[in-house]
Amino acid sequence: MLGAVGRKIRKAYREHQTPHGRQSVKKLMGHGAATNSIELSGDTKAFDRVARKWNVDYAFYKTGPDKYLLFFKSGQADAITACFSEYSRKVLNKSKSRRIPIREQLKQAADQLAKEKPRKRERVKEAIREDR
């Protein structure tokens, strides 16, 4: 009886020691569960935000500039699929953004000011020149 209680306490302690969320590949492999991987290119921070919602355990391994292998537990494949579809939807919507960059807005404002009528003070100076 006492041995069973001790085993249960040790099991609960080990579960709390297991890291969750983003972690190193070595830690993820150390969980003892089977892992899968998929290729990911682009921003890892955007994926982190989405993955936190889905409560998945994953790790990135960099293979090149802006190219990563995303490792995850095989048991969480359904959650990763849903997470990845939400991530890809966000990436596509971000690229379709209709916001004009601030530099473009400043350039348009400068062009518009140049096309407008001269200021009142400048008109007075022009009127004086015409009188002479």
Side-chain angles (χ1 to χ4, degrees):
M1 178 80 171
L2 191 59
V5 172
R7 282 191 300 272
K8 190 172 184 177
I9 291 171
R10 281 193 300 273
K11 184 178 179 184
Y13 179 76
R14 276 194 309 264
E15 284 178 0
H16 288 346
Q17 295 300 313
T18 306
H20 295 288
R22 185 176 180 165
Q23 53 200 282
S24 69
V25 176
K26 187 175 182 179
K27 285 182 182 177
L28 186 68
M29 297 294 183
H31 288 208
T35 57
N36 286 341
S37 65
I38 54 176
E39 289 185 18
L40 178 75
S41 58
D43 188 18
T44 59
K45 287 184 181 179
F47 184 83
D48 285 338
R49 289 185 195 110
V50 175
R52 264 189 244 121
K53 275 195 228 174
W54 290 93
N55 196 25
V56 293
D57 300 337
Y58 62 98
F60 289 114
Y61 180 77
K62 191 168 188 170
T63 58
D66 282 347
K67 294 195 181 219
Y68 300 89
L69 275 177
L70 173 67
F71 287 92
F72 58 93
K73 291 182 181 179
S74 298
Q76 295 181 333
D78 295 336
I80 284 287
T81 304
C83 178
F84 202 73
S85 65
E86 185 178 334
Y87 165 74
S88 59
R89 192 172 346 108
K90 281 190 172 194
V91 168
L92 288 174
N93 286 341
K94 190 176 183 182
S95 66
K96 292 180 181 179
S97 177
R98 294 205 166 92
R99 273 190 9 204
I100 301 171
I102 190 73
R103 289 183 188 234
E104 288 294 320
Q105 290 178 11
L106 288 171
K107 188 183 268 187
Q108 289 174 0
D111 291 342
Q112 187 178 2
L113 284 173
K115 290 178 184 177
E116 286 183 5
K117 296 178 184 178
R119 291 188 215 153
K120 184 177 180 181
R121 188 176 203 186
E122 292 173 359
R123 281 186 268 161
V124 170
K125 287 181 182 178
E126 288 176 12
I128 293 172
R129 287 185 199 148
E130 290 175 4
D131 290 340
R132 291 184 182 175

